[in-house]
Amino acid sequence: MSSRRSRSRPSSGSSRITDDQILDLVSKLQQLLPEIGNRRSDKVSAAKVLQDTCNCIRSLHREVDDLSERLSELLATTDTAQAAIIRNLLTQ
Amino acid sequence: MNPDHHSSLNPSSSLKSRFTKTFLRSLIKINKQRPFPYCPREIFQRCHRVKTAADKSLARAAGSRRVWSRAMLCKIRNRSLRRGCQQRPSVRRIIIGYQTTKKGYCLQKKMSDDQEVGTDQASKLRKLVPGGEAMDLCSLLDEAAHYIKCLNTQVQVMRRIADIHSS
């Protein structure tokens, strides 16, 4: 492990990535993801966490697309005044 | 956890309110422009406009301290510029491309030894997170976490607006 640490990028000395940092961030990501319920071992495969992250982002993108489609359909049938009322309600 | 430098005691709630305000304002603007879309092309355009407005308001609400929000705003601006003149976006693209190749090469060298994190997965994640191509692994993970948080907020708010409208 120490060999990896010493082999951090010599060209840009500004960011030296250590294994601990990566594990830290990976576990932080893991906490955010809703799907992962099992935390049997400390060293959950980082690749799995990355894969779940990608899936999560993709599904969120899909939801945003669906919601914007729905909103654009609703806009066509709604009054402008109503939107202003809703805005006041939501920002209170 | 690194708190934002913006003077906000509770970052998540003010992100939500900032996003809601900006998004609703742009929705009203879109509605004013063409109240009744007559043909499917216009419907598709409006849907695209709504989505762009949502992304733009999210990036603005997240603030310019984040790489992904800056990259997203850049992308949206380039897209709208492309409709006008062709010169500026290509210059930006060249600069970003240069940075990517430089950092990308160094990264590939490191990541081929790093067996903990799969290179495939990381490159997929880079494509999903805006501005992810030119980031090192640490920042990529950090930005991805924040991006997911903001996307959740966006979905929440949009769903609430849609529910209120449709009831």
Side-chain angles (χ1 to χ4, degrees), chain B residues 46-84:
Chain B
R46 166 185 288 237
C47 174
H48 181 72
R49 240 177 249 152
V50 169
K51 176 165 191 305
T52 312
D55 285 340
K56 202 183 203 178
S57 341
L58 185 67
R60 281 232 180 96
S64 57
R65 275 188 76 243
R66 286 286 171 175
V67 180
W68 69 263
S69 56
R70 290 201 298 266
M72 196 187 263
L73 285 173
C74 235
K75 204 195 318 179
I76 295 178
R77 214 174 294 150
N78 283 353
R79 224 184 288 158
S80 64
L81 277 174
R82 214 180 299 156
R83 297 211 188 105

Side-chain angles (χ1 to χ4, degrees), chain A residues 29-79:
Chain A
L29 262 181
Q30 198 183 355
Q31 283 163 19
L32 277 177
L33 299 175
E35 295 136 7
I36 298 185
N38 47 347
R39 294 167 107 239
R40 296 173 264 165
S41 57
D42 240 350
K43 291 187 191 176
V44 185
S45 152
K48 177 96 183 13
V49 172
L50 278 189
Q51 194 183 14
D52 286 335
T53 312
C54 292
N55 293 340
C56 188
I57 294 184
R58 272 191 215 116
S59 69
L60 283 172
H61 280 170
R62 232 176 291 141
E63 278 196 50
V64 169
D65 287 340
D66 290 339
L67 280 170
S68 50
E69 217 183 293
R70 195 172 148 203
L71 275 177
S72 71
E73 285 171 15
L74 285 171
L75 269 186
T77 56
T78 312
D79 235 7

